[in-house]
Amino acid sequence: MKILESISIGNLELKNRMVMAPMTRSRANDEGVINDLAVVYYKQRATAGLIISEAINISVQGKGMPNTPGLYADEQIAAWKKITDAVHDAGGKIFAQLSHAGRVAHSMNRDGILPVAPSAVSIKGQKAHTSNGQMDYETPSELTVSEIESIIEDYMRAGANALKAGFDGVELHAALGYLPNQFLIESSNLRSDEYGGTIENRMRFIVEVLKGLIAIVGIDKVGVKLSPAIPINNMFDDNQKEVYSQLFLALNKLPLAYVHLMEALFPLEDFPHFPQKPLYETGHLINIPIITNGGYNRDSAEAVVQENKAQLVSFGGLFLANPDLPRRFELNASLNEPDRATMYVGGDEKGYTDYPTLNAI
Ligand SMILES: Cc1cc2nc3c(=O)[nH]c(=O)nc-3n(C[C@H](O)[C@H](O)[C@H](O)COP(=O)(O)O)c2cc1C
């Protein structure tokens, strides 16, 4: 199968084209230090061509959900080093997903400090997941230009820390309504300075962060995750297709490792102007390697790689539930079903490190 064949991205040799998608598992302590069970969890999945870590906060300010890990303190870096060492020892590769949640956050999870965002616009119609249960989103405080500049520096510092922690590269989380996505989309960006207004201005933040990360982490070692067909967290833009088309053209000019492009995950009948199938409709605009994501199984993943619409495919739920997913694909073996009850809420081994491999069955 082509999906099981090796591929190089820059100097990075991946043993297959199957990527473990980033998945927040909420098992870090209050200081954002990931626990030792995560060493087992990631090592179990090291047969992926590439693992992308769960979203990692670049700063205290960037924290969204409770119990998410960070990459801004020495203790956090040391904890991640154990994970990258274990993955490398098992012959795997791992990127760090760098995250700033912006307004997808709540002061309850942030020592009473309000979230920040491009503009003072709250998320409506959804609840924030806090240490105190579900709560309404608050109106975030609007960032000044100098605060934006320091966030870009925070990303760069986190990029440097990712290298110290032994990661092979980094992925900018610019999907699912997180801070970079908030800059890009008109519903969350009402600014009239150089970071708002025109599409060129709204994509400035993403481009500047990526350039900063490339300068620190290296050429072909920085990827970016995008979700052009997902309105979650109030990502509504009347010119959705144009916004992403322009962004792709800007990304093509950067020496990126890849674009990680999510397909729609929910029905889009209220959003007929969104790309309904981003890879098929817009993939031809991208001239860097594409990791396609969203709902793939063995056959659809093999087909998309055979057609060369994308070079790699990432799997979320399937890698969560099947640590040995490449082997299962190779043998066309049956798959474990992900247990929804233990997917998002943190906890112990259950639904984390106890999914059986084929050998154990
Ligand atoms: C438990 C869970 C946590 C997730 N956390 C993140 C995350 O931290 N960062 C991110 O970009 N996407 C996150 N996602 C989305 C996945 O990376 C992926 O895009 C999504 O699951 C669709 O892929 P799939 O259909 O193969 O599962 C998460 C998904 C799941 C199931």
Side-chain angles (χ1 to χ4, degrees), residues 184-200:
L184 186 66
I185 295 299
E186 65 183 358
S187 57
S188 47
N189 185 345
L190 312 180
R191 302 179 73 92
S192 52
D193 61 8
E194 66 265 40
Y195 289 100
T198 62
I199 297 175
E200 192 182 356

Side-chain angles (χ1 to χ4, degrees), residues 164-299:
K164 276 193 213 159
F167 284 101
D168 298 290
V170 300
E171 174 176 288
L172 173 66
H173 188 349
L176 302 173
Y178 276 39
L179 184 69
N181 206 173
Q182 290 158 34
F183 272 97
L184 186 66
I185 295 299
E186 65 183 358
S187 57
S188 47
N189 185 345
L190 312 180
R191 302 179 73 92
S192 52
D193 61 8
E194 66 265 40
Y195 289 100
T198 62
I199 297 175
E200 192 182 356
N201 281 352
R202 285 187 271 133
M203 61 189 196
R204 187 179 310 281
F205 181 77
I206 294 180
V207 171
E208 286 183 353
V209 172
L210 287 173
K211 282 185 176 166
L213 287 174
I214 291 165
I216 296 285
V217 180
I219 287 173
D220 296 333
K221 289 186 166 182
V222 178
V224 55
K225 191 173 190 225
L226 302 170
S227 52
I230 303 183
I232 195 167
N233 293 323
N234 291 183
M235 291 291 96
F236 312 132
D237 201 300
D238 283 348
N239 298 303
Q240 190 85 355
K241 286 185 189 168
E242 184 56 26
V243 166
Y244 279 93
S245 300
Q246 284 200 33
L247 180 63
F248 295 149
L249 298 180
L251 297 182
N252 284 341
K253 297 189 188 133
L254 303 176
L256 289 168
Y258 62 78
V259 175
H260 193 174
L261 191 63
M262 292 182 75
E263 293 298 293
L265 295 181
F266 313 102
L268 286 173
E269 62 260 12
D270 291 341
F271 302 93
H273 63 292
F274 275 28
Q276 309 287 302
K277 294 189 170 184
L279 181 65
Y280 280 82
E281 289 171 38
T282 60
H284 61 279
L285 298 173
I286 302 173
N287 65 14
I288 29 195
I290 298 177
I291 305 177
T292 183
N293 169 260
Y296 282 95
N297 60 26
R298 180 178 185 269
D299 290 345

Side-chain angles (χ1 to χ4, degrees), residues 20-25 52-56 65 97 99 171 173-176 178 225 230 260 262-263 265 293-296 314-320 340 342-345:
M20 176 173 160
M23 282 178 286
T24 292
R25 304 304 309 272
I52 301 168
S53 78
E54 63 207 271
I56 309 181
M65 302 235 284
Q97 191 187 49
S99 168
E171 174 176 288
H173 188 349
L176 302 173
Y178 276 39
K225 191 173 190 225
I230 303 183
H260 193 174
M262 292 182 75
E263 293 298 293
L265 295 181
N293 169 260
Y296 282 95
S314 77
F315 306 87
L318 286 187
F319 250 120
L320 185 148
R340 304 227 146 246
T342 51
M343 252 180 166
Y344 298 97
V345 289

Side-chain angles (χ1 to χ4, degrees), residues 6-14 50 93 95 168 218-222 255-258 287-289 311-312:
S6 63
I7 185 169
S8 343
I9 296 183
N11 289 329
L12 197 70
E13 292 280 330
L14 305 181
L50 177 66
K93 298 272 193 284
F95 271 35
D168 298 290
I219 287 173
D220 296 333
K221 289 186 166 182
V222 178
L256 289 168
Y258 62 78
N287 65 14
I288 29 195
Q311 288 63 52
L312 303 113

